[in-house]
Amino acid sequence: MKTRLFMAAATLALAAGMSHAEGELLFPVGQGDFNWESFEALKANDLSGEQVTVFGPWLGADQELVENVLAYFAAATGADVRYTGSDSFEQQILVDTEAGSAPNIAVFPQPGLLGDLAKRGLVAPLGDETANWVKDTYAAGSSWVDLASFAGPDGGTDLYGLFYKVDLKSLVWFVPENFEDFGYDVPGSMEELKALGDQMVADGNTPWCIGLGSGGATGWPATDWVEDLMLRTQSGAVYDQWVSNEIPFDDPRVVGAIEEFGYFARNDDYVAGGAGAVAATDFRDSPKGLFASPAQCMMHRQASFIPAFFPEGTEIGLDADFFYFPAYEEKELGNPVLGAGTVWSITDDTPGARALVEFLKSPIAHEVWMAQQGFLTPHKGVNTELYATDTLRKMGDILLSADTFRFDASDLMPGGVGAGTFWTGMVDYAGGKPAADVATDIQTSWDALK
């Protein structure tokens, strides 16, 4: 789902402190191919007796994963680290910061709210040193700095957060056996991907399964397509102008990206069930055509979460696999990646909060979560062999090869657009409405919100 939908909730009590001894850590210090030097370096920060509070969106099993990571910070520094998770994070962080009771560190699922708080002086800037570190250490480092840099209360722009834990969207899923049966190779460029689609049609196969259905959120999968195609037809700078409405939604460059989606989705020969089935097919059901016998489609573009809707027992890497949704070779825009991620920021500035940010910059902070599950990082200094699965390692390699990373555009737009008219407009487009008319309608709705 593109946009987090939260229920109002009361303030949650802080979780119990984590006073982990080194022997109680998930991965014992000194064992395995972790960057233990970066753990030992953390011991220079003696935070004995200092409490460091962290507030984020993770509950249940995910909370356990992040606490396993924070335990290393506690063990190295002596800090009393306390994590709180909430399914109403965005509402609660507003209440807490405005009341002067903010945690030391807040973990934002989207950067938009962080920007709002930074402008009001409720978040501490991280400084040029950290910004330069991100540029040098993260793949597509300038992208990550740009995504977390905002105007402060004085109007000057600073870095206000560090991205840690990333999600990847620019993926195409397929069944290797189907490719092998017909002699298809994984394409390395958009030109090759389109040529492959033509070959599949010539062979009597259907290239794509696409479904936009998602209840009240129907249409969001198409916005992911358009965002990926914007990054493959325009520079990251133009993408940013689109997200901020510096250029209108009906700019020819945006209309062109919508029409690129139409190349795949509005061609009866290219999509399972024909173009008329795209809007009516639930996104959770759409990948099932990959596994039908005979296959109803050969490819499915969707984010890293989609295997949750594959047939039970599907083994990634054997029964299903993925490749990078490629860029146009002729455009010379490098390897852009679309995704999302959490950004960690200081909302109550203390030595412990600053030390925790430094911890997040260390390889060990990334490697401990990498070795568990559900974690990707653009940190170039980690041991990628520590990823828990080959699938995560392969996704991590795509991130490390990225020249440009951009956050999901609709999650950064005003809710009435990004989770409203953009969704419904893409359903209209899939149903045959001209791209220019759809884009004009979306821009009109945006103007009405100003």
Side-chain angles (χ1 to χ4, degrees):
M1 191 69 65
K2 301 268 286 193
T3 301
R4 292 171 53 89
L5 303 175
F6 295 101
M7 300 293 291
T11 304
L12 297 176
L14 287 172
M18 296 179 295
S19 301
H20 290 71
E22 287 187 22
E24 299 172 337
L25 298 174
L26 184 62
F27 306 105
V29 174
Q31 297 183 23
D33 294 326
F34 295 85
N35 191 319
W36 293 120
E37 293 83 359
S38 68
F39 173 80
E40 295 298 328
L42 295 169
K43 294 182 178 180
N45 296 303
D46 184 0
L47 300 174
S48 299
E50 181 171 346
Q51 186 177 102
V52 181
T53 54
V54 182
F55 181 41
W58 298 299
L59 293 166
D62 289 334
Q63 176 168 338
E64 183 177 350
L65 294 173
V66 70
E67 288 182 338
N68 286 338
V69 175
L70 293 173
Y72 285 80
F73 175 71
T77 65
D80 176 14
V81 185
R82 303 189 176 213
Y83 171 82
T84 304
S86 174
D87 60 2
S88 57
F89 169 87
E90 291 182 328
Q91 289 91 340
Q92 194 58 49
I93 194 61
L94 282 172
V95 171
D96 291 346
T97 52
E98 291 171 350
S101 57
N104 297 120
I105 299 288
V107 184
F108 292 85
Q110 300 170 5
L113 178 57
L114 170 59
D116 293 339
L117 296 181
K119 187 175 182 179
R120 297 167 58 189
L122 298 174
V123 186
L126 299 184
D128 291 340
E129 182 179 345
T130 296
N132 290 332
W133 178 89
V134 173
K135 288 180 182 177
D136 293 339
T137 311
Y138 276 16
S142 294
S143 295
W144 297 107
V145 172
D146 292 344
L147 282 167
S149 294
F150 304 97
D154 62 355
T157 299
D158 287 294
L159 179 72
Y160 282 95
L162 180 69
F163 274 93
Y164 172 83
K165 189 178 185 301
V166 177
D167 298 312
L168 182 61
K169 294 195 173 190
S170 302
L171 301 175
V172 177
W173 297 86
F174 69 104
V175 173
E177 184 178 354
N178 292 342
F179 269 45
E180 292 166 8
D181 286 346
F182 290 93
Y184 300 146
D185 294 324
V186 169
S189 68
M190 185 62 72
E191 289 89 346
E192 291 181 3
L193 179 63
K194 288 186 172 183
L196 176 60
D198 291 338
Q199 182 61 52
M200 289 174 174
V201 172
D203 292 339
N205 295 315
T206 301
W208 297 95
C209 278
I210 303 174
L212 308 188
S214 185
T218 292
W220 72 258
T223 67
D224 277 2
W225 272 90
V226 173
E227 291 156 2
D228 247 335
L229 291 165
M230 272 292 290
L231 288 173
R232 282 150 183 77
T233 56
Q234 305 298 329
S235 69
V238 172
Y239 184 94
D240 296 340
Q241 292 172 332
W242 171 49
V243 169
S244 66
N245 208 215
E246 186 177 339
I247 62 172
F249 214 105
D250 52 1
D251 183 279
R253 291 166 290 186
V254 182
V255 173
I258 296 173
E259 290 175 337
E260 279 292 282
F261 169 57
Y263 172 89
F264 300 95
R266 294 202 347 181
N267 185 329
D268 287 336
D269 292 333
Y270 265 65
V271 62
V278 170
T281 301
D282 192 284
F283 85 93
R284 288 156 286 214
D285 294 330
S286 57
K288 293 178 180 177
L290 292 171
F291 305 97
S293 183
Q296 296 173 3
C297 64
M298 292 285 160
M299 297 179 289
H300 182 72
R301 195 223 67 89
Q302 189 50 274
S304 54
F305 70 82
I306 199 62
F309 302 103
F310 289 174
E312 185 176 354
T314 299
E315 183 177 344
I316 306 302
L318 179 64
D319 305 314
D321 207 343
F322 61 90
F323 58 86
Y324 167 66
F325 188 52
Y328 285 94
E329 187 174 8
E330 66 178 18
K331 299 287 185 181
E332 298 183 349
L333 292 172
N335 295 316
V337 168
L338 177 71
T342 57
V343 57
W344 295 52
S345 302
I346 297 176
T347 42
D348 181 17
D349 201 352
T350 64
R354 293 283 169 178
L356 182 51
V357 171
E358 290 303 308
F359 167 67
L360 294 177
K361 292 158 66 175
S362 69
I364 193 67
H366 298 249
E367 290 171 346
V368 169
W369 204 332
M370 288 165 58
Q372 298 181 81
Q373 62 181 354
F375 183 88
L376 297 172
T377 178
H379 194 309
K380 295 185 290 188
V382 301
N383 177 8
T384 58
E385 292 301 313
L386 290 170
Y387 272 117
T389 66
D390 290 340
T391 296
L392 287 170
R393 188 176 304 111
K394 185 176 175 182
M395 291 179 182
D397 288 342
I398 290 174
L399 270 177
L400 291 177
S401 298
D403 300 301
T404 301
F405 185 96
R406 285 297 184 271
F407 208 89
D408 184 296
S410 65
D411 279 346
L412 301 178
M413 295 172 180
V417 176
T421 54
F422 194 4
W423 289 354
T424 57
M426 295 314 301
V427 173
D428 292 340
Y429 176 69
K433 190 171 182 176
D437 292 349
V438 167
T440 296
D441 289 345
I442 297 172
Q443 182 58 45
T444 299
S445 74
W446 203 327
D447 291 338
L449 296 173
K450 296 177 179 177

